[in-house]
Amino acid sequence: MASHPMAIVHAELYTPTRRIEDGTVVFAEGRILMVGPSHEVRPPRRAERIDARGHPVTPGLIDLHIHGIEGCDLFGPELAEAARRLPRYGVTAFVPTTLTLPEEEILQRLQAMAQVMEAPPPGARILGIHIEGPHLSPKRPGMANPAWFRPLTPEAVARYQDAAGGRILLWTFAPEEGEAMQAIPALIAQGIIPVIGHSDATYDQAMEAIRRGARQITHFFNAMRPFHHREPGLFTAALLEPEVITQLIADGQHVHPAAIRLLFRLKGPSGVALISDAAPMAGLPPGRYAWLGYEVIVVDGRCQTPEGALAGSIALMNEGLRVLIEEAGIDPLDAVCSATWTPAQALGLRKLGRLRPGAPADLVLWARWGVPEAVWINGERMV
Ligand SMILES: [Zn+2]
């Protein structure tokens, strides 16, 4: 931990509740001390200074939904190596996400993840585990093998959370399958946030799940019942209910820029959490790969099954932020909010995802959008 204070001066600061054109942020001993316009903030004389030359400084990016990076699969012991590599992409905290496999193998891999989290490696913060499968709809499987799908039950919640040592934080499931609706209180009782996804839920089914406590939608638009004006579906329930946060993949492949603008217009930046949904092939060259027994092909900026279904993305959060701003035309302040403060709120973490006195000093200085120049986690320079 840096013993002397650090001051980043002349930055375009995104707190991200506001943008400060010429801002200064000071931090020491892992915490932010001061944030404000450069003409108001007086860093301590012994502070080490970095001149940002007008470049953006934001909180570190927080990824709620990520499967892998540079050949590391987060669903197992390679989670440790992934945590070391993520800061290079501006990611300072993340929720490693699982995949549909036979239950025995899932439970073993959860134990391995919990072991890594027991003694966290230096790198991005591992906030908890995100379960995605096998409690999904066979009508909306994405790349997953529906032969392994099961409706969610309270007993499954207990078994998985046991194997994970209580570290499961998010759980994506299809509430309309079997008696899954009745498992929502079991999730909440275990401190897990219920996430609707890979779901064919009708409007009424989605509303019932939301009434029972579902609070997020996994990769909104992808692998869900679309809009129809006589059966408006999960799509409309998620858009209309203000307490529901929609996860969004912005890799330039999964969602059209106009659909991204529509979502931001209707939900606002506090209702959209940028996610990567990155596959372990993110950062690897094009080619054929095996992903936990699933065959996938990386080609033309996509990761897909031999049948052509998208299989996660190969872009990380930094690229998603760039796509939001430069390709979808989202205001940078809103885009930064959806990649930092909103995901922190979605997890109930009040201190992460913003620059203000007392918050952990997790921040990124950007050479330009998408390209981190310097990254700090808990005040320590990682990149
Ligand atoms: Zn998915």
Side-chain angles (χ1 to χ4, degrees):
M1 207 165 282
S3 52
H4 50 263
M6 176 79 79
I8 306 175
V9 301
H10 303 308
E12 183 179 65
L13 275 188
Y14 292 80
T15 71
T17 46
R18 66 187 179 124
R19 171 175 22 220
I20 303 170
E21 291 301 335
D22 179 355
T24 290
V25 55
V26 181
F27 52 94
E29 278 159 17
R31 301 267 147 190
I32 292 173
L33 296 177
M34 293 181 261
V35 181
S38 291
H39 64 268
E40 283 175 15
V41 174
R42 290 274 162 268
R45 192 162 303 172
R46 62 202 173 89
E48 185 183 327
R49 277 164 193 266
I50 290 185
D51 189 339
R53 310 173 319 279
H55 290 190
V57 168
T58 70
L61 310 183
I62 301 173
D63 197 345
L64 300 176
H65 189 147
I66 171 170
H67 299 280
I69 170 182
E70 296 175 355
C72 303
D73 197 312
L74 275 54
F75 192 7
E78 288 162 15
L79 173 58
E81 182 56 28
R84 290 187 193 99
R85 295 182 183 209
L86 276 165
R88 287 212 310 277
Y89 299 85
V91 177
T92 57
F94 66 109
V95 186
T97 305
T98 68
L99 205 66
T100 296
L101 289 173
E103 178 166 316
E104 264 317 295
E105 194 173 347
I106 292 178
L107 297 181
Q108 276 171 20
R109 288 178 174 275
L110 287 176
Q111 281 170 7
M113 294 170 88
Q115 239 168 47
V116 171
M117 294 168 74
E118 201 65 45
R125 298 171 194 271
I126 309 171
L127 299 173
I129 297 169
H130 181 170
I131 302 289
E132 189 188 28
H135 315 100
L136 311 178
S137 163
K139 292 187 180 145
R140 308 283 170 190
M143 70 172 283
N145 179 356
W148 292 322
F149 285 2
R150 308 273 178 275
L152 182 60
T153 62
E155 294 73 32
V157 174
R159 278 198 307 278
Y160 281 50
Q161 188 63 305
D162 252 16
R167 298 188 186 272
I168 298 171
L169 193 54
L170 297 172
W171 200 306
T172 289
F173 68 106
E176 75 280 8
E177 288 295 310
E179 309 291 307
M181 213 63 91
Q182 271 128 53
I184 295 176
L187 290 173
I188 294 169
Q190 294 263 15
I192 299 166
I193 299 163
V195 184
I196 306 174
H198 288 266
S199 164
D200 199 49
T202 62
Y203 176 77
D204 287 343
Q205 289 167 333
M207 286 303 293
E208 187 185 347
I210 293 165
R211 265 196 303 278
R212 288 174 185 243
R215 283 297 172 269
Q216 274 184 53
I217 314 295
T218 273
H219 45 58
F220 193 75
F221 294 115
N222 299 111
M224 59 184 270
R225 176 187 283 262
F227 177 77
H228 186 281
H229 52 286
R230 277 190 291 277
E231 177 34 73
L234 166 60
F235 182 90
T236 306
L239 289 179
L240 290 180
E241 293 308 303
E243 70 270 37
V244 173
I245 292 176
T246 53
Q247 302 174 2
L248 173 70
I249 307 172
D251 62 346
Q253 300 282 342
H254 280 74
V255 182
H256 192 281
I260 291 177
R261 285 194 291 280
L262 176 76
L263 186 62
F264 271 85
R265 180 94 49 96
L266 292 174
K267 294 295 287 181
S270 62
V272 183
L274 179 67
I275 59 166
S276 71
D277 196 14
M281 284 62 67
L284 298 184
R288 280 177 180 270
Y289 296 93
W291 177 5
L292 295 177
Y294 290 98
E295 186 189 353
V296 296
I297 303 160
V298 172
V299 61
D300 297 334
R302 305 152 56 93
C303 180
Q304 58 188 44
T305 65
E307 295 75 36
L310 286 169
S313 83
I314 53 167
L316 288 144
M317 288 284 282
N318 60 317
E319 170 67 2
L321 182 63
R322 187 197 69 75
V323 167
L324 287 184
I325 295 167
E326 295 181 357
E327 290 178 25
I330 302 301
D331 183 297
L333 189 59
D334 291 348
V336 169
C337 184
S338 76
T340 58
W341 189 73
T342 305
Q345 294 311 293
L347 299 175
L349 300 171
R350 310 238 157 261
K351 296 218 150 168
L352 286 189
R354 57 195 304 189
L355 305 181
R356 67 169 173 187
D362 292 4
L363 24 87
V364 182
L365 164 61
W366 298 89
R368 57 178 192 278
W369 292 123
V371 183
E373 182 174 325
V375 178
W376 292 264
I377 297 175
N378 225 19
E380 265 200 82
R381 179 119 183 215
M382 311 296 291
V383 174

